[in-house]
Amino acid sequence: MKQRNRKLIGIPVLVASIIAWCFGATAIYLLLPEGLPGLVLIAFFIVAGMGWLLPAMWTIGWMSKPDV
């Protein structure tokens, strides 16, 4: 598959995965009990904020492979 085609596929997949991650993280946040300590919430937001990076790095790596 040519790099141009991989980018054509990868960009919408990347955007959709980030949107899905946002909805998932928000849903999990709404399930958390009230009154949690601030450090627990900070840890949650760090994980939720950085969690999309691994799938994005894989997708960008796949898109940037040279043509075969």
Side-chain angles (χ1 to χ4, degrees):
M1 181 180 290
K2 292 189 181 254
Q3 189 178 35
R4 180 178 175 150
N5 293 337
R6 284 193 301 270
K7 287 183 181 182
L8 184 65
I9 295 167
I11 297 292
V13 167
L14 189 60
V15 171
S17 68
I18 292 172
I19 291 170
W21 186 266
C22 291
F23 280 116
T26 302
I28 292 171
Y29 173 72
L30 292 175
L31 292 174
L32 294 176
E34 291 185 29
L36 285 175
L39 291 177
V40 173
L41 292 176
I42 289 172
F44 170 77
F45 286 119
I46 288 172
V47 170
M50 303 292 279
W52 63 272
L53 286 175
L54 289 175
M57 287 183 345
W58 180 84
T59 304
I60 291 170
W62 176 75
M63 289 187 320
S64 64
K65 286 193 317 190
D67 292 340
V68 178

